[in-house]
């Protein structure tokens, strides 16, 4: 290296010296810093060996690759012969050694200046392209490495929940990937082994026949339907008016969404505002044991974990690998619950030992689940799978509470249990896809007497998700039918469903029944 530098210096010394460019030459663009990147000026064109002007302080700094090239210091002969040339770039004084810095701005050597800049240009052109590719590769590699690290950290932080849920279900610490809920493998690999099945439709177009209740439109309350329900549930306000004009306006809005080719998130927003009302969270000033609903968005069940300690997942009813993961830690789009204030204060604090309590501590025992096909990336099958899994978890735990009550009363599964004792156990759900909706009923599939054993789960054979009715929100009559079903499901949840749970809980806590008998019926209207 020293020999090549010496030869270069001798060749430059023998050549005719080139005058140092005047300051006016330094106003070239940044690309002129490397001489042949731009056309030389007149004086430079006369002598091709003359280096271009180095950049002044006002110019933009070189690229990172060129800065790296300038780290090369002049050899010892150059340093001894002359200090650093005055026309060098402002940042080069930082890159050269301290001893090469000029003692005076006027101390220059034209030959050494020319030789130095020729060498700088040669090294820039030789190293620029490889340096650029190397730098890009290093950047991409670093980015991938950081991304991989971040993903690893996310997997590590979120994976513990899945493994914990898995141990509850399978008792195994092994790891196996779970098919995505929209995958075609989800039903055969996850739902079918647990016999969670979507069955053939069993159409029921009259909610009043289904629930055995009276149609308010056959009474004097036909024009004030919400008041019909508030006769029983004075403090609940989830009831829909059956006003035809209002329903016609809503149907027209859906037709406008279709004409405007709106996305499915917009359909979801309209549906929530038209059909899903919520009761106030506060109970301040209300009597005790008041019955109201609690609506929860994206409830995240955590079977076996904090807030879900009593939640048990539906067991497989067919042989499955011990490494099968739990699919039940999902987030339903919308769920309606009973309020904990519906139960007597004497055993309200004991509810977490028997039933699931939501994260706010205000809701228990869900009775209706709603799923939306929210965007083009969400398939209708995915929404149905989500509804099936979420509903099966609720129904199975309601089934277990009834089993506890029957055992507490001394009844044994092999002799005295039958399907009639579980008739009231069911759950309702809706799946909305743009302007269409489907109503489902979810019931347990039970077998009596059980084939093997007398455990509570021995008679559980999965559950059936049955479509009851379909709706088209662009049609006025269909909107009215949907609202009738919604009213009756809430009426059933606050009434018969809540009464059955109260009965089971009081059977498990004899002291609670005595308090109820003393204080009167466990409901406030």
């Amino acid at each position: 290296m020293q020999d090549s530098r010496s030869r270069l210096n001798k060749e430059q010394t023998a050549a005719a010296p080139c005058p140092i460019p005047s300051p006016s030459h330094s106003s070239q663009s940044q690309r002129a810093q490397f001489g042949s990147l731009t056309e030389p000026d007149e004086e430079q064109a006369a002598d091709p060996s003359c280096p271009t002007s180095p950049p002044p302080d006002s110019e933009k700094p070189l690229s990172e690759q060129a800065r790296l090239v300038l780290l090369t210091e002049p050899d010892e002969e150059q340093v001894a012969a002359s200090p650093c040339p005055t026309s060098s770039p402002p940042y080069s004084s930082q890159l050269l050694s301290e001893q090469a810095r000029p003692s005076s701005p006027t101390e220059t050597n034209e030959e050494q200046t020319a030789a130095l800049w020729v060498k700088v240009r040669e090294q820039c052109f030789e190293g620029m392209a490889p340096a650029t590719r190397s730098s890009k590769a290093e950047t991409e590699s670093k980015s991938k490495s950081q991304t991989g690290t971040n993903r690893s950290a996310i997997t590590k932080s979120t994976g513990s929940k899945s493994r914990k849920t898995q141990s509850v279900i399978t008792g195994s610490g092994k790891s196996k990937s779970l098919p995505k809920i929209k995958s075609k493998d989800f039903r055969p690999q996850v739902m079918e082994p647990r016999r969670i099945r979507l069955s053939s439709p069993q159409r029921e177009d009259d909610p009043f026949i289904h629930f055995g209740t009276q149609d308010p439109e056959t009474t004097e309350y036909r024009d004030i339907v919400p008041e019909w329900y508030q006769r029983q549930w004075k403090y609940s306000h989830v009831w829909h008016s059956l006003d035809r004009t209002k329903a016609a306006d809503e149907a027209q809005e859906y037709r406008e969404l279709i004409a405007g080719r709106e996305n499915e998130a917009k359909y979801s927003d309209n549906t929530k505002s038209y059909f899903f009302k919520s009761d106030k969270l506060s109970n301040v000033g209300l009597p005790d044991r008041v019955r109201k609903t609690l609506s929860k968005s994206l409830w995240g069940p955590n079977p076996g974990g904090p807030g879900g300690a009593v939640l048990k997942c539906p067991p497989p009813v067919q042989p499955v690998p011990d490494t099968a993961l739990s699919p039940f830690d999902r987030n339903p789009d919308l769920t309606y619950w009973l309020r904990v204030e519906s139960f007597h204060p004497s055993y309200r604090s004991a509810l977490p030992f028997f039933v699931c309590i939501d994260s706010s501590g205000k809701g228990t025992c869900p009775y209706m689940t709603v799923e939306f096909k929210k965007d083009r990336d969400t398939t209708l099958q995915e929404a149905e799978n989500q509804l099936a899994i979420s509903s099966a978890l609720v129904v199975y735990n309601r089934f277990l509470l009834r089993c506890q009550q029957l055992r507490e009363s001394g009844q044994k599964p092999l002799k005295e249990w039958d399907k009639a004792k579980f008739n009231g156990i069911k759950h309702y759900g809706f799946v909305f896809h743009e302007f269409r909706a489907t109503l489902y009923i979810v019931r347990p599939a039970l077998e009596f007497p059980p084939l093997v054993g007398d455990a509570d789960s021995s008679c559980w054979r999965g559950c059936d998700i049955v479509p009851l009715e379909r709706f088209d929100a662009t049609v006025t009559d269909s909107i009215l039918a949907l609202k009738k079903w919604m009213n009756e499901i809430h009426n059933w949840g606050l009434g018969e469903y809540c009464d059955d749970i109260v009965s089971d809980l009081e059977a498990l806590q004899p002291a609670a029944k005595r308090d109820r008998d003393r204080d009167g019926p466990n409901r406030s209207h």
Side-chain angles (χ1 to χ4, degrees):
M1 182 67 181
Q2 293 295 331
D3 292 340
S4 62
R5 291 180 176 178
S6 298
R7 287 195 300 271
L8 179 61
N9 292 336
K10 292 176 181 179
E11 293 172 1
Q12 295 299 327
T13 303
C18 176
I20 300 176
S22 64
S24 62
H25 296 155
S26 64
S27 61
Q28 299 291 335
S29 64
Q30 182 174 344
R31 295 187 61 185
Q33 298 169 15
F34 301 107
S36 62
L37 292 176
T38 57
E39 293 294 330
D41 58 24
E42 295 178 357
E43 294 182 13
Q44 291 171 330
D47 187 352
S49 65
C50 178
T52 56
S53 169
D57 292 356
S58 61
E59 289 293 328
K60 293 174 65 178
L62 294 174
S63 64
E64 186 65 18
Q65 292 75 20
R67 290 173 62 95
L68 293 175
V69 171
L70 290 178
L71 287 172
T72 305
E73 297 184 0
D75 57 32
E76 296 177 357
E77 294 180 6
Q78 291 175 317
V79 174
S82 173
C84 180
T86 57
S87 58
S88 62
Y91 46 78
S92 65
S93 61
Q94 301 174 10
L95 300 176
L96 298 176
S97 61
E98 292 292 331
Q99 60 179 341
R101 293 184 179 180
S103 59
S104 170
T106 61
E107 295 179 6
T108 62
N109 185 302
E110 297 177 358
E111 295 180 359
Q112 295 296 333
T113 299
L116 176 60
W117 281 101
V118 167
K119 186 169 69 173
V120 167
R121 288 200 305 273
E122 290 175 349
Q123 292 180 353
C124 285
F125 296 139
E126 290 175 358
M128 185 177 298
T132 301
R133 289 192 294 268
S134 174
S135 175
K136 183 177 180 181
E138 291 174 1
T139 303
E140 291 178 353
S141 175
K142 182 177 180 181
S143 176
K144 290 179 180 179
S145 175
Q146 291 176 345
T147 303
T149 302
N150 292 340
R151 288 176 178 172
S152 176
I154 292 172
T155 302
K156 183 175 181 181
S157 64
T158 59
S160 58
K161 179 180 177 181
S162 297
R163 288 193 293 272
K164 185 171 184 180
T165 304
Q166 176 186 351
S167 65
V168 173
I169 305 307
T170 67
S172 171
K174 298 179 182 179
S175 176
K176 182 181 178 181
S177 61
L178 186 70
K180 292 183 178 180
I181 201 164
K182 62 183 177 183
S183 167
K184 60 183 178 60
D185 296 326
F186 189 84
R187 289 186 181 181
Q189 294 186 19
V190 177
M191 293 172 58
E192 191 58 33
R194 296 166 176 83
R195 204 193 166 282
I196 301 172
R197 294 179 177 174
L198 278 89
S199 304
S200 300
Q202 297 179 6
R203 184 172 181 179
E204 294 187 34
D205 57 3
D206 192 329
F208 307 105
I209 294 176
H210 177 82
F211 288 104
T213 55
Q214 185 177 5
D215 183 351
E217 289 191 304
T218 63
T219 70
E220 65 273 18
Y221 289 90
R222 58 181 173 273
D223 296 326
I224 47 174
V225 170
E227 294 186 18
W228 165 264
Y229 293 101
Q230 286 183 319
R231 294 180 312 145
Q232 289 183 297
W233 321 117
K234 181 178 179 180
Y235 302 103
S236 179
H237 303 279
V238 294
W239 317 107
H240 292 279
S241 167
L242 300 181
D243 180 82
R244 176 168 287 275
T245 302
K246 182 178 179 181
D249 290 342
E250 293 167 348
Q252 180 60 36
E253 283 298 304
Y254 277 100
R255 290 193 289 270
E256 292 293 336
L257 293 180
I258 296 172
R261 298 185 178 181
E262 291 287 352
N263 59 36
E264 297 181 30
K266 179 62 177 175
Y267 284 101
S268 176
D269 291 341
N270 274 34
T271 299
K272 290 177 182 178
S273 64
Y274 292 162
F275 302 115
F276 298 103
K277 297 184 177 183
S278 299
D279 283 329
K280 292 182 178 180
L281 294 176
S282 174
N283 271 353
V284 175
L286 301 183
D288 198 20
R289 292 187 290 168
V290 63
R291 292 198 180 180
K292 294 166 56 179
T293 68
L294 177 70
S295 61
K296 294 283 291 185
S297 295
L298 297 177
W299 166 54
N302 185 19
V310 300
L311 276 178
K312 302 291 188 276
C313 297
V317 297
Q318 299 176 5
V320 294
D322 189 46
T323 54
L325 292 173
S326 167
F328 296 99
D329 51 348
R330 305 287 173 171
N331 291 311
D333 289 331
L334 183 64
T335 311
Y336 279 91
W337 304 58
L338 300 176
R339 292 287 294 260
V340 295
E341 292 87 357
S342 301
F343 303 94
H344 198 281
S346 63
Y347 63 89
R348 197 176 292 165
S349 61
L351 288 176
F353 296 100
F354 299 97
V355 292
C356 176
I357 306 295
D358 86 303
S359 58
S360 70
K362 296 181 178 181
T364 184
C365 303
Y367 63 88
M368 182 169 67
T369 299
V370 183
E371 290 293 335
F372 298 95
K373 182 182 179 298
K374 297 173 286 300
D375 51 53
R376 290 182 175 86
D377 294 331
T378 307
T379 64
L380 181 60
Q381 178 174 302
E382 179 181 354
E384 289 180 333
N385 291 349
Q386 175 73 67
L387 175 71
I389 289 295
S390 303
S391 301
L393 180 66
V394 172
V395 169
Y396 182 66
N397 283 271
R398 178 69 189 93
F399 160 78
L400 291 180
L401 181 64
R402 177 59 54 85
C403 290
Q404 284 183 275
Q405 183 265 327
L406 294 174
R407 285 184 179 276
E408 186 68 22
S409 64
Q411 300 184 44
K412 297 181 180 180
L414 288 174
K415 296 181 179 180
E416 300 173 80
W417 291 13
D418 56 41
K419 291 183 179 180
K421 291 182 170 61
F422 297 87
N423 276 345
I425 296 179
K426 54 188 175 181
H427 188 81
Y428 292 90
F430 286 92
V431 169
F432 283 83
H433 171 210
E434 295 182 342
F435 57 92
R436 304 178 186 90
T438 304
L439 168 64
Y440 301 84
I441 184 172
V442 185
R443 290 191 178 103
L446 305 175
E447 184 177 69
F448 296 102
L451 295 178
V452 180
D454 64 350
D456 293 345
S457 60
S458 59
C459 56
W460 173 269
R461 305 303 298 169
C463 60
D464 296 306
I465 297 92
V466 182
L468 288 182
E469 182 65 297
R470 289 186 169 88
F471 308 92
D472 182 338
T474 64
V475 178
T476 300
D477 287 338
S478 190
I479 286 181
L480 292 173
L482 176 56
K483 290 182 176 182
K484 290 178 182 180
W485 275 102
M486 203 74 67
N487 285 342
E488 285 300 302
I489 291 172
H490 286 310
N491 186 49
W492 166 79
L494 293 176
E496 180 183 335
Y497 176 73
C498 188
D499 288 342
D500 286 348
I501 293 176
V502 167
S503 177
D504 289 346
L505 290 172
E506 290 181 347
L508 295 170
Q509 301 176 92
K513 187 176 185 303
R514 290 196 300 270
D515 292 335
R516 194 278 307 269
D517 293 340
R518 181 192 64 216
D519 297 338
N522 190 4
R523 64 166 68 179
S524 294
H525 301 305

